[in-house]
Amino acid sequence: QDGQGYVRVKRLLKGGPAERCGMVEEGDVLVEVGGINIYLDGSPMGALEALIHGSPGTLLEMGLQRAGAGQVRRVKLLRSDPYRHSRSAT
């Protein structure tokens, strides 16, 4: 979360699904996870992390907003094993 209470994409995992899809950028604001508006729902950060990371091979649907843009972009990603990407990037 940033100082304004927004959940922003801090960094993309090299070779991970978000980087490969090309639709997610550092600084994007996360608005929805699985069709749930995270600001209206009031979910704590720990619960959001669990929703985002999920199990490898499952689908993640997110709503993202770019700084200065009003429109929410919906992105679907196939979750992968984060350790596989971190090992291959070293």
Side-chain angles (χ1 to χ4, degrees), residues 30-44:
L30 181 64
V31 178
E32 298 174 358
V33 177
I36 298 169
N37 183 309
I38 64 170
Y39 298 103
L40 296 178
D41 182 55
S43 298

Side-chain angles (χ1 to χ4, degrees), residues 6-53:
Y6 294 113
V7 177
R8 293 187 186 272
V9 176
K10 187 173 181 179
R11 68 179 178 88
L12 299 176
L13 185 62
K14 186 173 176 76
E19 183 188 60
R20 287 193 320 265
C21 86
M23 294 180 63
V24 182
E25 293 183 7
E26 293 178 3
D28 283 354
V29 174
L30 181 64
V31 178
E32 298 174 358
V33 177
I36 298 169
N37 183 309
I38 64 170
Y39 298 103
L40 296 178
D41 182 55
S43 298
M45 281 302 293
L48 287 176
E49 288 177 10
L51 285 172
I52 293 167
H53 292 288

Side-chain angles (χ1 to χ4, degrees), residues 5 11 15-16 23 40 47-48 53 56 58 60 71 78 83-84 88:
R11 68 179 178 88
M23 294 180 63
L40 296 178
L48 287 176
H53 292 288
T58 59
L60 169 63
Q71 186 176 7
L78 186 63
Y83 299 106
R84 180 173 59 95
S88 65

